[in-house]
Amino acid sequence: MPANVSARDPDDLDALRAASDILGIDALLTAEERAVRDRVRAFVDAEIRPHVADWFDRAEFPAEIAPELGRLGVLGMTIEGHGCPGRSAVEYGLAALELEAGDSGLRTFASVQGSLAMGSIDRCGSDEQKAEWLPRLARGEAIACFALTEPSAGSDPSSMKTFARRDGGDWIIDGAKRWIGLASIAQVAVVWAQTEDGVRGFLVPTDAPGLGIRVLEPKGSMRASIQCELSFDGVRVPDAARLPGAQGLRAPFAALGDARYGIVWGAVGAARDSFEAALRWSLRREQFGRPIAGFQLTQRKLVDMAVEVQKGALLALHLGRLKDAGTLRPEQISLGKLDNVRQAIAVAREARTILGGDGVLLENSPIRHAANLESVRTYEGTDEVHTLVLGQHLTGIAAFR
């Protein structure tokens, strides 16, 4: 086969993306789906990329971006009614991919706000709670967090120690939560607590007396994001704050399933952005009198990365179609979250090697994606948890204990 006489233009990103879409996945999307993707992609290019390295360096999340995300229509994206966008699961997935191509913290904001908090209110809240919170949260005029994980209850939420007891017409909450995204900038927390009747959910104002919030820092990952520790010391809320449709762990698990689904797509975004950074760099960077893209070892790295990005995107799209059809199962989400995230980490690390020494500069995205994905690999179910979910599905034997 004759060698190409001219290299691809590293500045023609559209052509590079067309060449990288080896399986023709773009053609599997509808025109409306592509329009949603392109709108979110343009927002990330204009509003996120110029600033994200600085945010990451200063460990800062720009809370002022929340209303912009609301106008973009990515908050509570699949929820119908109450001013929410009401888009498809595939459209949400494409938005999550483009957001995480900018930074995992950006996709995490949309996930915590939309899938975890708003999803819980929509699924389990009263009509009054939905009317009060969903429109404001969809517009980004208010921020919510989701408080499930505890210092000693991460992978095993059934062992949570936070307890809510009845006191007349009120509830008194005592306990602690940890690794709670957005808590320090949120106006309301969806709090899960044990009660005499099992696990219940509550909407707790973050300025409630007795609620302490501490930002967890410094971090080496998810730096352009916020995670907090919460302490509840006799926090009193009325019974109207209880989510009436939430009893048992099924309710928070449903929200977690939606968030994990978003991660399946988001991880592809981080991997794709890392791969594209490496591809464009390899076409510009010359050594020994030629672009390093022309060397066999570099091409092998690029091919390996492209294969994983394509496989991950195809898997995410398949799961999205299943979700829109109402047939997506938990073990399928576990498979997607497990493999797409660990492959995205491998792609980001490999991309960094192509950038050489400059690859450790924050202006280049692979090092940021590699660091962020270490957190993504851990939250919403570790590799071990998803492996055990799949193991139970295959064998019929639960090996969690």
Coordinates of all heavy atoms in Angstrom, one line a residue, residues 267-300:
A267 N -17.1 9.5 30.4 CA -15.7 8.9 30.3 C -15.3 8.9 28.8 O -14.1 9.1 28.5 CB -15.7 7.5 30.8
V268 N -16.2 8.7 27.9 CA -15.8 8.7 26.5 C -15.4 10.1 26.1 O -14.4 10.3 25.3 CB -17.0 8.3 25.6 CG1 -16.6 8.4 24.1 CG2 -17.4 6.8 25.9
G269 N -16.0 11.1 26.7 CA -15.6 12.5 26.4 C -14.2 12.8 26.8 O -13.4 13.4 26.1
A270 N -13.9 12.4 28.0 CA -12.5 12.6 28.5 C -11.5 11.8 27.7 O -10.4 12.4 27.4 CB -12.4 12.1 30.0
A271 N -11.8 10.6 27.3 CA -10.9 9.8 26.4 C -10.8 10.5 25.1 O -9.7 10.6 24.5 CB -11.5 8.4 26.3
R272 N -11.9 10.9 24.5 CA -11.8 11.5 23.1 C -11.0 12.7 23.2 O -10.2 13.0 22.3 CB -13.2 11.8 22.6 CG -13.3 12.2 21.1 CD -14.5 13.0 20.8 NE -14.5 14.3 21.4 CZ -15.5 15.1 21.6 NH1 -16.7 14.7 21.2 NH2 -15.4 16.3 22.2
D273 N -11.2 13.6 24.2 CA -10.5 14.8 24.2 C -9.0 14.6 24.4 O -8.1 15.2 23.8 CB -11.0 15.7 25.4 CG -10.4 17.1 25.4 OD1 -10.7 17.8 24.5 OD2 -9.6 17.4 26.3
S274 N -8.6 13.6 25.2 CA -7.2 13.2 25.4 C -6.6 12.7 24.1 O -5.5 13.1 23.7 CB -7.1 12.1 26.5 OG -7.6 12.6 27.7
F275 N -7.3 11.8 23.4 CA -6.9 11.3 22.1 C -6.7 12.4 21.1 O -5.7 12.4 20.4 CB -7.9 10.2 21.6 CG -7.8 10.0 20.1 CD1 -6.7 9.3 19.6 CD2 -8.7 10.4 19.3 CE1 -6.5 9.0 18.3 CE2 -8.6 10.2 17.9 CZ -7.5 9.5 17.4
E276 N -7.7 13.3 21.0 CA -7.5 14.4 20.0 C -6.3 15.3 20.3 O -5.7 15.8 19.4 CB -8.8 15.2 20.0 CG -10.0 14.4 19.3 CD -11.3 15.2 19.3 OE1 -11.3 16.3 20.0 OE2 -12.2 14.8 18.7
A277 N -6.1 15.5 21.6 CA -4.9 16.3 22.0 C -3.7 15.7 21.5 O -2.7 16.3 21.0 CB -4.9 16.6 23.5
A278 N -3.6 14.3 21.7 CA -2.4 13.6 21.3 C -2.2 13.6 19.8 O -1.1 13.7 19.3 CB -2.4 12.2 21.9
L279 N -3.4 13.3 19.1 CA -3.3 13.3 17.6 C -2.8 14.6 17.1 O -1.9 14.6 16.2 CB -4.7 12.9 17.1 CG -4.8 12.9 15.6 CD1 -3.9 11.9 15.0 CD2 -6.3 12.5 15.2
R280 N -3.4 15.7 17.5 CA -3.0 17.0 17.0 C -1.6 17.3 17.3 O -0.8 17.9 16.5 CB -4.0 18.1 17.5 CG -5.4 17.8 17.1 CD -6.4 18.8 17.7 NE -6.4 20.1 17.1 CZ -7.1 21.1 17.5 NH1 -7.8 21.1 18.6 NH2 -7.0 22.3 16.8
W281 N -1.2 17.0 18.5 CA 0.2 17.2 18.9 C 1.2 16.4 18.1 O 2.2 16.9 17.6 CB 0.4 16.8 20.4 CG 1.8 17.1 20.9 CD1 2.9 16.2 20.8 CD2 2.3 18.2 21.6 NE1 4.0 16.8 21.4 CE2 3.6 18.0 21.9 CE3 1.7 19.4 22.1 CZ2 4.4 18.9 22.6 CZ3 2.4 20.3 22.8 CH2 3.8 20.1 23.0
S282 N 0.9 15.2 17.8 CA 1.7 14.3 17.0 C 1.9 14.8 15.6 O 2.9 14.5 15.0 CB 1.2 12.8 17.1 OG 0.1 12.7 16.3
L283 N 0.9 15.5 15.1 CA 1.0 16.0 13.7 C 1.8 17.3 13.7 O 2.4 17.6 12.6 CB -0.4 16.2 13.2 CG -1.2 14.9 12.8 CD1 -2.7 15.3 12.7 CD2 -0.6 14.3 11.6
R284 N 1.9 18.0 14.8 CA 2.7 19.2 14.8 C 4.1 19.0 15.3 O 5.0 19.7 14.8 CB 2.0 20.2 15.8 CG 0.6 20.7 15.4 CD 0.3 21.9 16.3 NE -1.1 22.4 16.0 CZ -2.1 22.2 16.8 NH1 -2.0 21.5 17.9 NH2 -3.3 22.7 16.4
R285 N 4.3 18.1 16.2 CA 5.6 17.9 16.8 C 6.6 17.2 15.9 O 6.3 16.1 15.4 CB 5.5 17.1 18.1 CG 6.7 16.7 18.8 CD 7.5 17.9 19.4 NE 8.5 17.5 20.3 CZ 9.4 18.3 20.8 NH1 9.4 19.6 20.5 NH2 10.3 17.9 21.7
E286 N 7.7 17.8 15.6 CA 8.7 17.1 14.7 C 9.9 16.7 15.5 O 10.4 17.4 16.4 CB 9.1 18.1 13.6 CG 8.0 18.3 12.6 CD 8.5 19.1 11.3 OE1 9.7 19.3 11.2 OE2 7.6 19.4 10.5
Q287 N 10.4 15.5 15.2 CA 11.6 15.0 15.7 C 12.3 14.2 14.6 O 11.6 13.5 13.8 CB 11.4 14.1 16.9 CG 10.9 14.8 18.2 CD 12.0 15.7 18.8 OE1 12.9 15.2 19.5 NE2 12.0 17.0 18.5
F288 N 13.6 14.2 14.5 CA 14.3 13.5 13.5 C 13.8 13.9 12.1 O 13.8 13.0 11.2 CB 14.3 12.0 13.7 CG 14.7 11.6 15.1 CD1 13.8 11.2 16.1 CD2 16.0 11.5 15.4 CE1 14.2 10.8 17.3 CE2 16.4 11.1 16.7 CZ 15.5 10.8 17.7
G289 N 13.4 15.1 12.0 CA 13.1 15.7 10.7 C 11.7 15.3 10.2 O 11.4 15.6 9.0
R290 N 10.8 14.8 11.0 CA 9.4 14.5 10.5 C 8.5 14.6 11.7 O 8.9 14.5 12.9 CB 9.4 13.1 9.9 CG 9.7 12.0 10.9 CD 9.9 10.7 10.2 NE 8.7 10.2 9.5 CZ 8.6 9.0 9.0 NH1 9.6 8.1 9.1 NH2 7.5 8.7 8.3
P291 N 7.2 14.8 11.5 CA 6.2 14.7 12.6 C 6.2 13.4 13.3 O 6.4 12.3 12.6 CB 4.8 14.9 11.9 CG 5.2 15.6 10.5 CD 6.5 15.0 10.2
I292 N 6.1 13.4 14.6 CA 6.2 12.1 15.3 C 5.0 11.2 15.0 O 5.0 10.0 15.2 CB 6.3 12.3 16.8 CG1 5.0 13.0 17.4 CG2 7.5 13.1 17.2 CD1 5.0 13.0 18.9
A293 N 3.9 11.8 14.4 CA 2.8 11.0 13.9 C 3.2 10.0 12.8 O 2.5 9.0 12.5 CB 1.7 11.9 13.4
G294 N 4.4 10.2 12.2 CA 4.8 9.4 11.1 C 5.6 8.2 11.6 O 6.1 7.4 10.8
F295 N 5.8 8.1 12.9 CA 6.6 6.9 13.4 C 5.7 5.8 13.9 O 4.6 6.0 14.4 CB 7.5 7.4 14.6 CG 8.6 8.3 14.3 CD1 8.5 9.6 14.6 CD2 9.7 7.8 13.6 CE1 9.5 10.5 14.2 CE2 10.7 8.7 13.2 CZ 10.6 10.0 13.5
Q296 N 6.1 4.6 13.6 CA 5.3 3.4 13.9 C 4.8 3.3 15.3 O 3.6 3.0 15.6 CB 6.0 2.1 13.5 CG 6.2 2.0 12.0 CD 6.9 0.7 11.6 OE1 7.2 -0.1 12.4 NE2 7.3 0.6 10.3
L297 N 5.7 3.6 16.3 CA 5.3 3.4 17.7 C 4.2 4.4 18.0 O 3.2 4.1 18.8 CB 6.5 3.5 18.6 CG 7.5 2.4 18.5 CD1 8.7 2.7 19.4 CD2 6.8 1.1 18.8
T298 N 4.3 5.7 17.5 CA 3.3 6.7 17.8 C 2.0 6.3 17.1 O 0.9 6.4 17.8 CB 3.7 8.0 17.3 OG1 5.0 8.4 17.9 CG2 2.7 9.1 17.6
Q299 N 2.0 5.8 15.9 CA 0.8 5.4 15.3 C 0.1 4.2 16.0 O -1.1 4.2 16.1 CB 1.1 5.0 13.8 CG 1.4 6.2 12.9 CD 1.3 5.9 11.5 OE1 1.0 4.8 11.0 NE2 1.6 6.9 10.6
R300 N 0.9 3.3 16.6 CA 0.3 2.2 17.3 C -0.4 2.8 18.5 O -1.6 2.4 18.8 CB 1.3 1.2 17.8 CG 0.7 0.1 18.7 CD 1.7 -0.9 19.0 NE 1.1 -1.9 19.9 CZ 1.6 -3.1 20.3 NH1 2.9 -3.3 19.9 NH2 1.0 -3.9 21.0

